[in-house]
Amino acid sequence: MYIKKRKLARGVAIVGAEMSRFGAFDDRITRDLFVEAFGEMRKAVDKGFDPRDIEAVYFGNAANEQFEFQGHLAPILADWVGLVPRAITRIEAACASSGVAVRQGVLSVASGVNDVVLVAGVEKMTGLSAELTTSVISLGCDQVYEGKAGFTFPGLYAAMATAHMHRHGTSARQLMSVALKNHRNGALNAKAQFNATIADLMARRIARCRERGEPAPGWKAEWDFLEDAEANPVVAWPLRLFDCSPVSDGAACLLLASEDIARQFTDNPVYIIGTGQASDHALHERPDMTAIMAARRAASEAYDMAGVRPQDIKIAEVHDCFTIAEIVATEDLGFFAPGAGGRAAEEGLTARDGPKPINTSGGLKAKGHPVGASGAAQMVEIWRQMRGEAGPRQVAGRDIDLALTHNVGATGGTCVVHIFERRQ
Ligand code: COA
C-alpha cells in the first residue's frame, strides 16, 4: 500500500489535558459535562493560562441531536466556557469524533493559522431508553444495508468476533481476558464509570443477594462469574455483557500549543509527532472482517510521520468498544501478528506490568464510552502516563517516551491514530 510521507509544518504539543468523570448522570446534560472537563483541564495546565488565548475550538460529538434533541451545539459550548466569539467547530465521526477533532486542531496549529487551540469531545448518552440508545448508536453503521438487516453495534462486532474466531482460533476466554484486564485498570481510575474490578462487581452482587435474603451465587473466581450465563448474558453471540463497553456520559478537553510556545504553559509538554486518518467501506462490503484496513492505513501514516515503529511504542490506548475490538486493534497497529492478539491478551502481554501495556485507563470497557468523548479521553490518559502522573495505575519501571492512541468510528469507517513523544 503506497502511503505518501506527510509531515507537520511545525511542531504541536499538548500543554494541558483532563476529563470529566465518566458515568451515567441523571442530573447532567452535555454542557455540564463540557464545563467540568474544561475546568479540570484548566487546572492541569502547570503554569496556568488565560482562556482568552484560545484562538479556536474543535470538538467531537456524535449524536447530540438524537440523544438530547439539541442541535448546533458548538456555540452553546463556547458560550458555557466563556469562549464566544472564538471559532468553534463540531466534528461528527461516530465514535472517532474527538480523535478526528484533535487531528483538526493539530493541523490548524501546524499550519500556523492558530497557536493555541482547545480540542475536546463530549457525549451525553444515558437520557434515552436502552432501545432508543441502541438505535441512535446504530446510526453510525450503514442503515440501508446493515441497519435494515437488523444489525446493532454489538451485532456488527459480534460478526467480526465470529470471523476472528473462525480464522484465527480466538476464544471466548481470550475475549474475556481483555475485559478482566481493563476492569483491573479501571479500578485504579477514579474517573472511570466502572471504578471496579470484575471481582469487586461480583462481590457487590453477592452482597446484594444476601441483603435481599436470596441465595448467593456460588462464584469462586472471576472466570466463574464471566462464564455464568445469567451474570454475564449473551448480548450478540459470541459477545456477552462484559465484552461490551457501557453506555456513558462524559467529556474530555486538551489544550494544544505550537511547539515554540509550549513551554510558556508547562515545562513538561507532550508532543504530538504523528497523526493519521483513513476511511473504509461499510463492514458488509469488506472482503475481510478480521482486521480494520482504515486502522492499518491510519497507523501506517502516523508511524511514518513520527518516524517510529510499532515496537518503539511503550503504551497505547486503543478503541476497545468491544473486547474483540481491542484484539483486532493490537494486530492492526502491528503490536502483534494477525491472529496473535487474543493469545497476547490471555498471556498478559497487554497488562499494565506486561511488555505492551494497553488501555491503562480501563479503556472504553471500564472507563466508559461516551462516544464523542472517547478519542480525546484516550489522550488524557497518555498525557498522565507520559508525565508520570497516573497515580496507582502508573506504568512503572520504564521510560514512556513514545505512546499511541487509536480511535475507531463505528466498525472502522473512520480511524484515526496519534503518536506522542515526551522529551527530556
Ligand atoms: N459491562 C458490564 N456491565 C454492564 C455493562 C457493560 N457494558 N452495561 C451495563 N452493565 C451492568 C449495569 O451496571 C447493571 O449492573 P447492576 O445490575 O449490578 O447495577 C446491569 O449491567 C444492567 O444494566 P443496564 O444499564 O440495564 O444494561 P443494559 O442491558 O441496558 O445495557 C448493553 C447493556 C451491553 C446492551 C449496553 O451497555 C450497550 O449497549 N453497550 C454497547 C454500547 C455501544 O454499542 N457503544 C458503541 C460501540 S461502537
Side-chain angles (χ1 to χ4, degrees):
M1 179 194 323
Y2 169 71
I3 296 204
K4 177 183 168 188
K5 180 148 176 78
R6 295 178 165 84
K7 65 182 180 69
L8 299 177
R10 64 173 176 165
V12 182
I14 304 172
V15 295
E18 253 308 343
M19 56 187 269
S20 71
R21 173 102 216 260
F22 278 11
F25 307 113
D26 289 344
D27 57 344
R28 325 201 55 205
I29 60 173
T30 299
R31 58 191 79 181
D32 303 315
L33 299 162
F34 190 74
V35 167
E36 180 184 341
F38 183 74
E40 293 290 291
M41 182 280 289
R42 279 188 74 175
K43 287 189 247 162
V45 178
D46 296 330
K47 298 184 185 174
F49 75 103
D50 184 340
R52 285 174 299 188
D53 291 343
I54 295 173
E55 294 163 289
V57 186
Y58 297 87
F59 75 97
N61 173 264
N64 202 63
E65 288 81 352
Q66 292 79 14
F67 283 131
E68 272 189 341
F69 209 66
Q70 171 68 65
H72 203 193
L73 193 56
I76 294 175
L77 295 187
D79 200 13
W80 276 67
V81 294
L83 290 179
V84 168
R86 304 291 182 280
I88 175 164
T89 307
R90 175 224 182 146
I91 312 276
E92 187 279 304
C95 312
S97 295
S98 56
V100 176
V102 173
R103 182 175 149 87
Q104 290 306 310
V106 168
L107 299 182
S108 95
V109 173
S111 74
V113 168
N114 294 307
D115 295 323
V116 181
V117 161
L118 176 70
V119 289
V122 63
E123 205 81 50
K124 163 76 195 179
M125 300 174 74
T126 64
L128 306 178
S129 67
E131 290 71 20
L132 259 178
T133 304
T134 302
S135 301
V136 172
I137 295 171
S138 300
L139 296 176
C141 73
D142 184 335
Q143 283 301 305
V144 172
Y145 293 99
E146 294 163 353
K148 281 225 170 79
F151 274 100
T152 59
F153 264 90
L156 291 162
Y157 274 90
M160 292 164 80
T162 310
H164 209 273
M165 287 170 150
H166 179 69
R167 174 165 309 171
H168 299 300
T170 301
S171 67
R173 215 172 157 95
Q174 290 173 348
L175 298 180
M176 289 179 199
S177 304
V178 173
L180 273 168
K181 166 184 70 72
N182 289 351
H183 272 273
R184 274 184 200 132
N185 291 339
L188 301 173
N189 184 350
K191 294 209 167 174
Q193 181 160 357
F194 290 111
N195 182 214
T197 62
I198 290 178
D200 296 333
L201 296 172
M202 205 169 92
R204 278 182 216 164
R205 296 232 191 146
I206 291 173
R208 205 158 64 193
C209 288
R210 293 213 170 102
E211 271 167 33
R212 291 183 188 147
E214 294 166 1
W219 312 307
K220 295 271 177 293
E222 288 170 317
W223 289 110
D224 301 335
F225 175 84
L226 289 174
E227 280 163 5
D228 179 337
E230 225 172 283
N232 189 20
V234 170
V235 175
W237 194 90
L239 302 181
R240 295 170 178 244
L241 180 64
F242 277 80
D243 289 302
C244 305
S245 57
V247 172
S248 316
D249 306 329
C253 284
L254 297 96
L255 192 67
L256 303 183
S258 60
E259 185 174 334
D260 49 315
I261 61 165
R263 284 180 191 269
Q264 290 176 19
F265 299 89
T266 173
D267 290 330
N268 202 4
V270 167
Y271 297 90
I272 300 180
I273 59 167
T275 173
Q277 184 183 336
S279 60
D280 200 353
H281 308 289
L283 186 67
H284 71 275
E285 295 225 56
R286 295 183 205 157
D288 179 8
M289 290 200 291
T290 63
I292 297 181
M293 280 308 128
R296 292 184 170 206
R297 195 180 173 94
S300 198
E301 205 174 289
Y303 284 134
D304 223 38
M305 184 186 284
V308 304
R309 301 157 305 163
Q311 55 268 42
D312 300 324
I313 300 294
K314 302 300 187 330
I315 60 165
E317 288 286 303
V318 310
H319 198 96
D320 59 322
C321 51
F322 298 93
T323 49
I324 183 63
E326 178 170 315
I327 289 171
V328 170
T330 57
E331 298 170 6
D332 288 341
L333 293 165
F335 298 155
F336 306 111
R343 220 169 37 250
E346 191 173 26
E347 289 171 359
L349 304 188
T350 55
R352 218 171 51 254
D353 57 356
K356 194 67 109 181
I358 302 290
N359 287 334
T360 55
S361 66
L364 281 44
K365 170 69 201 83
K367 184 180 63 199
H369 184 24
V371 289
S374 287
Q378 291 177 324
M379 298 181 198
V380 172
E381 177 68 5
I382 295 298
W383 159 264
R384 291 193 190 123
Q385 288 281 354
M386 291 191 101
R387 289 164 41 104
E389 295 169 350
R393 64 180 190 287
Q394 180 66 44
V395 172
R398 70 193 85 172
D399 176 22
I400 309 174
D401 56 345
L402 288 167
L404 178 149
T405 58
H406 155 279
N407 187 202
V408 174
T411 50
T414 301
C415 287
V416 57
V417 172
H418 284 95
I419 296 176
F420 307 85
E421 182 183 42
R422 192 184 42 73
R423 299 174 192 157
Q424 295 302 340

